[in-house]
Amino acid sequence: MVKFLKIFSVSAREGTVTRKYPFESPLVTPEFRGRIDIDPVKCVGCGACTRICPTKTLTLSYEGDEAVLKYFIGRCIFCGMCAYVCPQNAITITKDFELASYNLSDLYDEVVHRTVRCSICGKPFTTAKLVREVETRINGGDVEELLNICPECRRRLTVRRIGSRVVGTGGE
Amino acid sequence: MVSLTSLLVTVSFALLPPLLDGVERKVKAKIQTRYGPPTILQTWYDLMKLWIKELKIPTSSESSFLLVSLSFLTAITALYPLAYMIVTLHTQFEPLLLALPLTLVASSHGLMLITSTSTSNPFAIIGSYRSVILTLLNEFGLISGSVIAIYTGLRLLTNHTLSTTMIYLLSLVILLFSTYVGGGRLPFDIHEAEPELASGILIELSGKLLALYIYTHLLIRYVLTLLMSVALIAPLTLVIATPTALPLTLLISFILYIAYGMIAVALGRTRVDIGVKTLFIYYLIALIVLVIFTCLSI
Amino acid sequence: MSRGFSHVEDLKGVPRGPRSDAVLSRVLSACGDSILNVSRRGTTIRVALKAECFRKAVESIYSEHDLYFRTMAASDERLKDGVYKLYYVLGIDGEGTNVVLEVPAPEGVEISTVSDLFRASDWYELEAKDLFGINFSGRSLRRLVLPEDWPENLYPLRKDISADEIKSLYQPQMISQIAELGVEEVVRVPIGPYHPALHEPEYFELYVRGEKVVDARYVGFMVHRGIEKLAESMKYDQVPFLAERICGICGFVHSTSYVQAVEEALGIEVPERAQFVRSIVLEVERLHSHLLWIGVALHLLGYDTGFMHAWRIREKIMVLAELLTGSRKTYGINLVGGVKKDVNQDKVPKVREVLEQLKKEFSEFVGIAISVPQVMARLRGTGLLPRGEARAYALVGPTVRGSGLARDVRKDYTYAAYHYVSFKVPVYSEGDNLARTLVRVDEVFESISIIEQLLDMLPGGSVMAEGWETQPMKLGIGAVEAPRGEVIHVVVTGDYSPYRWRVRAPTYQNLQAVPTMLRGVDLADAPLTIASIDPCFSCTDRALIINLRSGSVKAVPIEVISRRGVRSG
């Protein structure tokens, strides 16, 4: 009948389970996914992370001779998809989640890349590091000359080449 | 001299309830495996914080400030006859001294109910009707229990027959129940049940008014606990003098207050029909047994 | 492909019994020439039929005892076929097969209602009217999802209107009202019609006589978030993260439903290990959800100590979930084709240890909580839901299992790795709050046993399918037994994003029975009775509010611990 009083013995056994959190360390397991950290050395500015990011936390924008990869922590849902897709392993997931700040700029992280200008039209089209990365990956080859040409001009160039080849062959 | 002592005792009694509540909250937190408030002074801090807020009177109930203040004063006043009774218990017993705190507690309660019903808040009104039913029933236990327990208790040393002892113990049980229910702890806090009534009158009050309301509530709890303590030490008053009786009553009231709080933590909230029915049956059985014993003793 | 995987294929072979054939032949004979097409795929039989024959088809089958109205998805397919389409998903419980009635609805053509035959289809029809402008004949249509001041003839889920256009066309009346006040800048605090002390935007009107509830009605859809429209502009692998945020308690069931629907539509074979990981995480989620519910239920009964202890025990599950997935809630590991986080072998002992502890502590705790006099007195016999009503409303989850029907998606329409484990489906026939509570208590023990079995059998291999191609206009159905009942997602695939994604949370189905349960209960038991279906309003809701003017109306708050994090005040 008074079995409900057994709760006292359970309480005595368990003690106090709450934590004085801001004054005590938080309970975080080694697997916890917090904010991300972008390694500016490894990042080549390919933008794979910006295309998978479900909340558009990561954005890549071209401003003059600079390409800026922006990370706005305010929108981040800690899903880790960016780290999952990053081809350079430049993104690491940290355990940091205590991100409140009085200063809005604390919530922004930026990686600035130098852009390359198209050798034909002169417009900046991609980051210099990405061009270098592609160069090492393809390891030479006959397309090397195309590396510094923007996709737009490259398409025109290819069309012109095929055209000239067709015309050339026809002429023989 | 006695009046002055009683007055001093009354003042110290009046300061106690928020402190006891602080202890109760700490104990409650322990049972719920959490830290709880930082210190046992927390209820005092809460009250002081609420008191320095601006006065906001519910628009639908202009007289609420007056009513709540009156209720507070009535509750404080109820402590004086009790203090007087404790101080003089070894020399004399004035029946009026018992009637006075009971009347004052009932009045204080009544004033609170008027405050509740005068608001336009449907939850507060439903809650106050629940409270009326429960209080009416409980008043029976409170009056019969305290009167019989203190009367027989005081005579127990000179007339310790079995039936007197039984009557005394039985009336103690009735008083234990009724002081517990009167304190408005779980399972009997149905007038301000949070899930269905959104805490009833509590959400209508704020700032100073809320502070007064809470203080009054705690005072009534303590007055009832003191009543029970007096009934408990009544048989001893002939052998111990005031300097011992006073701290003893204090100690007993302190233990009782926390014990009540611990019981409340282990229980859920009753429903108005179940609660009233259970209480009615308990009192009825107690009354019948009491009558039987009284007949036997005559 | 491993040995076990072919076993899955065997189970998914259609049909698994004669019932779906019987239902199909009834439809075929009722409609004859009006049948446009019949196709079978996986566990689904898809019957396309002309709108004029639709009601006749339903009349021929609605009284089948094991047929159950699961969901209905409307879709704007005018770009492809020139018509809207309604997909009525009817499940055959014992067999695990679906019969999908596909009804083309040309612009301006009225579809006969079937809400009198399938009572559960009432809200679905109103929603199709609100969001697509599809008209139903033979019933009264009222606004359900959209707010009262929503412009006529603006149907947000139609393909020819973009989210930006909707924003420019609809301005809540509130804004113009503020302008009339002449205030330039104000903060709008959305209080009411629901009570400001509430934790979730639900609104129940309880008509009371004394302390007895005479009648009740629910007004909802106050937090419509338009996620179905949003998903149409998101990539396949981004949607799981959106789906997971439909519910703050059982989000993983939504992402699992979604990926299963896409996988079914596109015929993606998910590696066995991924299926196991999904099942384990789903059961972990059920554990924490049931413990949460039990805590809240005890709180509603005034037994706050029970609430604290239930959540103390639950906390161990939360930490376990974080260890397994990287997050306490919204686990974020589901992707189309598998999961992105494996269960490492070195975590297995830790999981077992926690489960063992949980089993001990939980049974001790339940024993104590049940012995509290008020808990038993107020659970037993309150909030009655008869079995017949439960069947008629096509209810799901612990709600229906407390009324004597053993409906459980894990058994009936098996998915993930559930066909590898043996478990009981707890059923109680009393139909009161106690029955629904006991179902959940028993399920906690079943879930522990399921996880233990899955860990024993955990196969090796990859957790992600290798590369998959999208194909447009394929239909997929994904259903998961969430802690509160069946979650079912219908996906029509598009090129890069879902073309149409229909989410149906269990509360959508269960809420319609709450007024029945409330009739005759005491006011004090109303909060618990409403909570006894474990409602999740944000999962169900879609819009602002319908204004009502009626006599003595009282809004009663029920407390459901914040589904979306802690709020101040």
Side-chain angles (χ1 to χ4, degrees), chain A residues 3-91:
Chain A
K3 196 186 169 194
F4 64 90
L5 292 177
K6 244 182 87 185
I7 200 77
F8 294 148
S9 73
V10 175
S11 304
R13 188 188 69 214
E14 295 296 327
T16 303
V17 295
T18 49
R19 294 164 89 90
K20 294 181 170 169
Y21 161 56
F23 311 108
E24 264 180 68
S25 63
L27 259 179
V28 171
T29 67
E31 297 290 334
F32 179 73
R33 273 196 318 266
R35 64 160 290 182
I36 58 158
D37 201 19
I38 308 167
D39 185 346
V41 180
K42 284 186 184 168
C43 177
V44 294
C46 67
C49 50
T50 64
R51 283 187 290 276
I52 194 68
C53 182
T55 53
K56 301 185 176 74
T57 295
L58 288 155
T59 47
L60 185 66
S61 54
Y62 283 84
E63 292 157 16
D65 277 337
E66 287 179 344
V68 184
L69 178 65
K70 238 187 218 152
Y71 173 47
F72 175 44
I73 302 167
R75 293 181 73 107
C76 187
I77 57 171
F78 303 162
C79 68
M81 278 309 278
C82 45
Y84 186 71
V85 298
C86 181
Q88 298 300 106
N89 292 325
I91 299 178

